[in-house]
Amino acid sequence: MNPDFLAWSGNLQVRIETALEHLLPDPRHAPQTLHAAMRHAALGGGKRVRPLLAFAAGEVAGADPARVEIAACAVELIHAYSLVHDDMPCMDNDMLRRGKPTCHVEYGEATALLAGDGLHSLAFELLSGHTLSDTPERQLDMVKLLASAAGSRGMAGGQAIDLASVGQTLTLPELEFMHIHKTGALIRAAVLLGAYCGAALDNTTLARLDRYAKCVGLAFQVVDDILDAEAPTATLGKTAGKDAQHNKPTYVTLMGSTRAKAFAAELHRDALDALAGFDSAQRLRELADFIVQRQF
Ligand code: GRG
């Protein structure tokens, strides 16, 4: 990756960590254990891809970074909640996340469940409690956008399909439908929320950002499937080989590794095509590169 992108993303990763540290409840305040569990889940790890996408899309709309920071934290909190619940014994039953014990391993199942709930609610408290847009109508649209991306017609719905697919044979369109919801919906919300923090964009520009977001959202998942099959646990910071172990259909099991890599490259090209001619979208382009080239 180019050094300028690494510096930009590194600075923003620190910015997000600092913002989340301030926005998450103080672990000295009751209920202390719940607050500690929320902080365990949201702080000190993760690539922060969704917040980076929000900042990059905010640049296209000339958004105030202070506004984008709040929207980016809201998306990251939804992501952190989803990982806590996904790791629980009733779902993926995983012990390792971001190189640390998962939330339920550290704090017990009941606290982990509540920590996920607390993170989810805090995301909406942020999105509704700060001025993020020039008009109340657009800000309400932002709340609705995140709610539907996280809900049964978005991420939670995709997770339900995922759980039901264990041991089943899915077709490629069925697999794509699942991932567009489970992973893609929140990635799309990150891009659009970042853009909504800035000046109103015309419909063509918004549609192009949306097309970019859909392509990188799916590419993210294809690469995730490839890494799960090929990368070691130590590099991933989460248990490798879980998909095969759980008998889950993936892009690697359906297409084979070579075709899955070619598909990720095709989605990458489509994402870049969607941004053709946008001078202000350089960070979005670099993030698309990062998403397909990442090793963890
Ligand atoms: C429990 C409602 C609910 C949803 C869970 C996100 C999710 C849905 C499950 C996570 C399982 C998983 C491995 C999904 C594949 C893609 C993905 C979201 C990977 C984790 O995201 P990264 O790589 O993680 O951005 P970091 O730790 O870098 O933030």
Side-chain angles (χ1 to χ4, degrees):
M1 302 300 312
N2 89 56
D4 179 60
F5 170 74
L6 292 177
W8 175 81
S9 56
N11 286 337
L12 282 177
Q13 282 160 341
V14 173
R15 180 174 183 155
I16 290 293
E17 181 76 11
T18 309
L20 287 172
E21 266 178 19
H22 288 107
L23 294 165
L24 281 157
D26 190 324
R28 292 166 304 181
H29 294 169
Q32 286 91 342
T33 307
L34 178 58
H35 290 160
M38 288 167 70
R39 296 175 75 87
H40 174 88
L43 297 175
K47 297 177 286 298
R48 310 295 195 200
V49 165
R50 295 153 194 81
L52 292 173
L53 284 165
F55 273 99
E59 285 190 9
V60 174
D64 175 356
R67 287 183 176 183
V68 182
E69 179 180 290
I70 297 293
C73 285
V75 176
E76 186 65 12
L77 290 172
I78 294 289
H79 172 57
Y81 124 73
S82 79
L83 297 179
V84 172
H85 283 191
D86 180 68
D87 287 334
M88 289 183 66
C90 57
M91 297 208 196
D92 250 17
N93 193 18
D94 217 324
M95 317 284 279
L96 188 69
R97 171 69 64 184
R98 296 174 163 175
K100 300 187 290 193
T102 47
C103 196
H104 68 276
V105 166
E106 192 76 10
Y107 292 95
E109 280 185 51
T111 300
L113 186 70
L114 292 171
D117 295 342
L119 294 167
H120 181 277
S121 298
L122 182 59
F124 289 100
E125 205 178 312
L126 294 184
L127 214 51
S128 55
H130 296 253
T131 301
L132 302 181
S133 173
D134 292 336
T135 67
E137 290 77 16
R138 192 137 55 99
Q139 183 145 352
L140 200 55
D141 283 345
M142 292 169 76
V143 176
K144 194 171 155 203
L145 178 71
L146 188 62
S148 53
S152 65
R153 281 161 296 177
M155 183 181 71
Q159 178 78 346
I161 299 170
D162 189 5
L163 293 173
S165 75
V166 172
Q168 305 290 314
T169 314
L170 293 188
T171 62
L172 271 177
E174 286 168 339
L175 187 70
E176 184 167 313
F177 183 84
M178 172 174 92
H179 288 312
I180 283 171
H181 290 78
K182 187 177 101 165
T183 317
L186 199 58
I187 288 183
R188 174 175 179 258
V191 171
L192 294 180
L193 288 176
Y196 279 145
C197 287
L201 297 172
D202 61 73
N203 285 342
T204 313
T205 305
L206 275 176
R208 289 172 69 184
L209 284 180
D210 199 18
R211 189 151 71 85
Y212 162 87
K214 284 177 179 160
C215 293
V216 291
L218 195 55
F220 186 95
Q221 184 61 54
V222 178
V223 171
D224 209 73
D225 286 356
I226 295 166
L227 290 174
D228 185 77
E230 296 185 353
T233 296
T235 314
L236 292 179
K238 61 181 181 179
T239 316
K242 288 282 291 186
D243 295 332
Q245 199 185 320
H246 285 196
N247 201 11
K248 275 190 180 176
T250 71
Y251 281 98
V252 175
T253 57
L254 259 72
M255 299 178 130
S257 166
T258 307
R259 274 182 65 212
K261 284 174 187 167
F263 185 41
E266 186 185 321
L267 290 164
H268 180 213
R269 277 193 302 276
D270 290 348
L272 297 182
D273 277 355
L275 302 177
F278 268 149
D279 288 344
S280 55
Q282 187 52 24
R283 296 302 183 197
L284 286 175
R285 286 188 198 92
E286 290 166 344
L287 278 165
D289 300 344
F290 170 74
I291 282 167
V292 292
Q293 289 165 16
R294 70 197 170 96
Q295 303 297 320
F296 60 98

